[in-house]
Amino acid sequence: MMTEFFQSLGMNYEWAWFVATIAGILLIALPLMLGVAMIIYMDRKVWAAINLRRGPNVVGPFGLLQSFADGLKVFLQETIIPSAANKGLFLIAPILTFTVALLSWAVIPFGEDMVLADINVGLLYLFAVSSLGVYGVVISGWASNSKYPFFSAMRASAQMISYEVSIGFIMICVVLWAGTFNLNEIVLAQKSHFWIINGYFANILLFPIFVMFFISALAETQRVPFDLTEAESELVAGYQTEYSSMSFALFWLGEYANILLMCALMSILFFGGWLPPVDWEPLYYVPGIVWLLGKIVFFFFCFSWVMATVPRYRYDQLMRLGWKVFLPLSLFFVFAVSGYLMATGHYA
Amino acid sequence: MIHTLAFYLFAVLVLASGAMVVLARNPVHSVLWLILAFFNAAGLMILVGAEFIAMLLVIVYVGAVAVLFLFVVMMLNIDFAELRAGFIKNAPLGAAIALILLVELVLGVGAYRAGVVELGEPLGNAAPLAGESNVENIGAILYSQYLFLFEMAGVILLVSMIGAIVLTHRDQRAARGHQNISKQVARRPEDATELKKPEVGQGVEL
């Protein structure tokens, strides 16, 4: 779409494609960074409201500029590299985390044709890229050459691998129903899925899967109650302990970008992405991106809600939940969903 | 043009990082170079249009296998001097393995070129089913023509998985305190605590 626009400006196809791709990347990455800043603010506000506090309210109107002030502060600080650290890897780790967090957004459809890379293995790409997220944590933990970050890195890698397994099975259920890996087609397949409701969550077989996906997403992004990697009472600040200044900020931004991605994924896989919640003609006049952003913000609110209300899990409980509860349960649902689809002749 | 540039970029990076896997002094660095090599190999596969295989390579090897590799290498306390001392002794063995792999590669490509292995047209441009995606193509051939082999691979993996579990499994109930999660969850504050209202200056009688 944008390629045609740049072609109309008198460029040949290859150049127009090139410029359109760069423009698309910027159009996603810059608002995403802004969104991350605002979502950190929202996180703190929601958390404060549940704790009966005021939250950030000094910088700018209602404290809206708090995240930017924090960013500026961090930017002006000195980058400290521990003398015993493995310098190259120590600096690569936050960059890796941040890059991987941005990379996944390439395939997220914001609207009917508002997607940077409309590839037919979109969901697999997302799964592949999100499985890279663990490297930033592991490398930072190892390169810091300090015991708390190392413990944290060990915990993080075990935790993320465990929950990736059940997330994989959950994705298979959705893919079975939609019959495609392409995220746009998955969204379209949810149109008036149950009566007039757009979205797989209304399906009685897929709703439990959605709940499991929500919990796995919490574990995958290391949010409370699964934030054992940065359990401050045990590990100081986890794998970020030795980091300061921008290298710390990159971890921070990457973490929140990942949380936003998980929220986006939930809305795309189970809540009809950019489709309105119900299949009613006038609602389609609202641009799809508004619906998607609304759903993302809603899920992020749920994340903050959980963070403010649920106590931290014990590590053995976390592993038990991942391997002994979610893995068999999600495997069972893969069988149940495929069995149902075969029995009802879904693919006939 | 971009296609050619991308090919050379990925190819050079695969070869360079492959070399670095062997040359790097620190084993952790070796594993990280290996990951870079996997990643660029996935890039090469995307260039030839095998995006499904590329994604699987990243998910399985980079996302899971290499993480475990890294895990183990980081935990090991490796003596670098000792590691290098064995080089001369093990060099012939390594050369033999390299030779075997080379012969296998030549045989495989030769058989494919000669049309013995049925993968499509023996020209290096296997023609997919028209108008269908990579995933559907692979599914169609895997679940029909190669169904038996595919199921055998699954059974072998299952057996190895069970084997690994059996080897590491110990009956932990006897050795350590066993946790009964449902019992832990079912415990209520009323069972565990008792509220007393002591008189002033009296203290609590237990």
Side-chain angles (χ1 to χ4, degrees):
Chain A
M1 187 179 66
M2 269 209 303
T3 311
E4 283 156 24
F5 169 73
F6 283 110
Q7 266 179 316
S8 71
L9 291 182
M11 297 181 186
N12 64 13
Y13 178 77
E14 285 209 343
W15 269 107
W17 178 84
F18 186 71
V19 175
T21 309
I22 301 280
I25 291 172
L26 289 178
L27 263 179
I28 292 174
L30 296 181
L32 180 65
M33 283 302 95
L34 196 68
V36 164
M38 292 328 290
I39 222 90
I40 292 172
Y41 167 76
M42 176 186 158
D43 199 15
R44 295 175 66 178
K45 272 291 192 193
V46 171
W47 201 11
I50 293 175
N51 290 349
L52 297 178
R53 291 183 288 113
R54 283 175 193 278
N57 63 352
V58 177
V59 190
F62 309 108
L64 271 170
L65 299 176
Q66 181 66 46
S67 298
F68 300 100
D70 286 344
L72 195 64
K73 177 196 74 181
V74 160
F75 186 69
L76 293 174
Q77 281 171 342
E78 182 193 356
T79 308
I80 299 167
I81 301 174
S83 56
N86 195 317
K87 272 190 199 62
L89 289 180
F90 186 79
L91 291 177
I92 285 174
I95 298 172
L96 193 70
T97 308
F98 184 68
T99 315
V100 165
L102 288 186
L103 221 55
S104 334
W105 287 88
V107 293
I108 298 286
F110 294 98
E112 176 86 57
D113 41 24
M114 285 169 71
V115 50
L116 182 61
D118 197 13
I119 55 177
N120 59 13
V121 287
L123 196 58
L124 282 177
Y125 170 85
L126 264 181
F127 193 59
V129 171
S130 72
S131 69
L132 296 179
V134 69
Y135 283 108
V137 179
V138 173
I139 292 173
S140 69
W142 183 79
S144 296
N145 205 354
S146 160
K147 59 166 102 74
Y148 292 129
F150 191 66
F151 283 147
S152 164
M154 290 293 128
R155 282 185 178 189
S157 47
Q159 177 177 339
M160 287 169 96
I161 291 177
S162 310
Y163 281 86
E164 241 158 49
V165 179
S166 58
I167 284 185
F169 281 127
I170 290 164
M171 283 180 177
I172 286 175
C173 292
V174 173
V175 167
L176 278 172
W177 215 293
T180 172
F181 279 113
N182 183 308
L183 288 173
N184 238 334
E185 285 171 28
I186 289 177
V187 168
L188 283 173
Q190 297 178 41
K191 195 167 177 180
S192 49
H193 179 68
F194 178 74
W195 189 41
I196 57 161
I197 301 171
N198 291 332
Y200 282 148
F201 72 97
N203 187 322
I204 203 146
L205 259 179
L206 291 175
F207 185 75
I209 301 177
F210 162 68
V211 175
M212 285 200 299
F213 188 75
F214 183 82
I215 299 172
S216 301
L218 285 174
E220 186 73 7
T221 52
Q222 287 149 23
R223 288 280 288 191
V224 179
F226 305 110
D227 64 335
L228 285 133
T229 51
E230 20 194 302
E232 60 271 19
S233 53
E234 305 158 24
L235 296 177
V236 192
Y239 57 92
Q240 310 163 342
T241 306
E242 305 289 345
Y243 283 87
S244 61
S245 181
M246 276 318 276
S247 52
F248 170 72
L250 286 181
F251 271 125
W252 205 32
L253 292 173
E255 205 173 286
Y256 273 93
N258 265 332
I259 294 168
L260 277 185
L261 180 80
M262 278 298 170
C263 295
L265 209 52
M266 265 185 272
S267 27
I268 287 165
L269 292 183
F270 294 98
F271 281 73
W274 42 264
L275 291 172
V278 281
D279 195 27
W280 183 46
E281 194 55 33
L283 289 180
Y284 284 95
Y285 290 109
V286 181
I289 190 163
V290 174
W291 292 118
L292 182 67
L293 289 182
K295 286 165 186 172
I296 290 176
V297 169
F298 170 73
F299 284 119
F300 188 78
F301 174 77
C302 294
F303 268 53
S304 312
W305 191 4
V306 170
M307 179 167 173
T309 46
V310 181
R312 185 177 293 136
Y313 253 50
R314 224 168 45 209
Y315 198 72
D316 63 308
Q317 289 173 327
L318 173 88
M319 282 297 150
R320 180 182 165 271
L321 187 69
W323 288 107
K324 292 188 182 168
V325 180
F326 279 4
L327 180 60
L329 213 57
S330 52
L331 202 53
F332 165 75
F333 272 106
V334 170
F335 280 104
V337 166
S338 47
Y340 176 81
L341 291 178
M342 284 305 281
T344 53
H346 187 72
Y347 296 116
Chain B
M1 197 210 33
I2 292 174
H3 202 275
T4 322
L5 269 180
F7 171 76
Y8 280 108
L9 179 74
F10 287 137
V12 166
L13 278 173
V14 168
L15 291 178
S17 45
M20 286 307 290
V21 173
V22 187
L23 296 177
R25 291 183 159 202
N26 193 327
V28 173
H29 292 183
S30 289
V31 176
L32 293 173
W33 283 114
L34 185 67
I35 291 161
L36 190 65
F38 281 146
F39 212 71
N40 286 298
L44 283 177
M45 286 177 187
I46 288 178
L47 284 185
V48 295
E51 70 268 6
F52 182 64
I53 304 286
M55 289 304 141
L56 282 195
L57 183 77
V58 175
I59 291 171
V60 175
Y61 283 92
V62 181
V65 175
V67 176
L68 293 180
F69 252 59
L70 199 61
F71 210 88
V72 171
V73 169
M74 279 179 179
M75 300 283 261
L76 291 176
N77 198 1
I78 295 168
D79 186 0
F80 299 120
E82 197 185 323
L83 213 63
R84 238 163 289 149
F87 179 74
I88 304 293
K89 201 180 71 184
N90 293 330
L93 188 66
I97 290 174
L99 198 69
I100 291 169
L101 285 178
L102 182 70
V103 169
E104 278 186 350
L105 206 62
V106 168
L107 280 178
V109 173
Y112 175 53
R113 287 267 160 177
V116 182
V117 186
E118 206 182 308
L119 294 172
E121 294 167 30
L123 297 166
N125 57 346
L129 302 175
E132 282 190 28
S133 76
N134 226 309
V135 186
E136 281 157 344
N137 274 313
I138 290 177
I141 199 165
L142 208 57
Y143 290 105
S144 55
Q145 200 174 343
Y146 295 109
L147 181 66
F148 179 69
L149 291 175
F150 182 68
E151 284 179 343
M152 277 311 290
V155 170
I156 290 169
L157 281 175
L158 184 69
V159 168
S160 62
M161 194 170 83
I162 293 173
I165 293 172
V166 167
L167 281 177
T168 53
H169 182 79
R170 280 166 294 165
D171 193 16
Q172 296 184 331
R173 222 162 286 206
R176 283 183 245 155
H178 182 71
Q179 294 195 348
N180 187 344
I181 297 287
S182 51
K183 201 175 153 196
Q184 288 178 4
V185 172
R187 196 167 158 88
R188 298 288 109 184
E190 299 86 67
D191 315 332
T193 56
E194 198 180 339
L195 273 181
K196 293 265 187 182
K197 237 184 188 169
E199 295 291 315
V200 178
Q202 294 265 314
V204 190
E205 242 177 81
L206 291 170

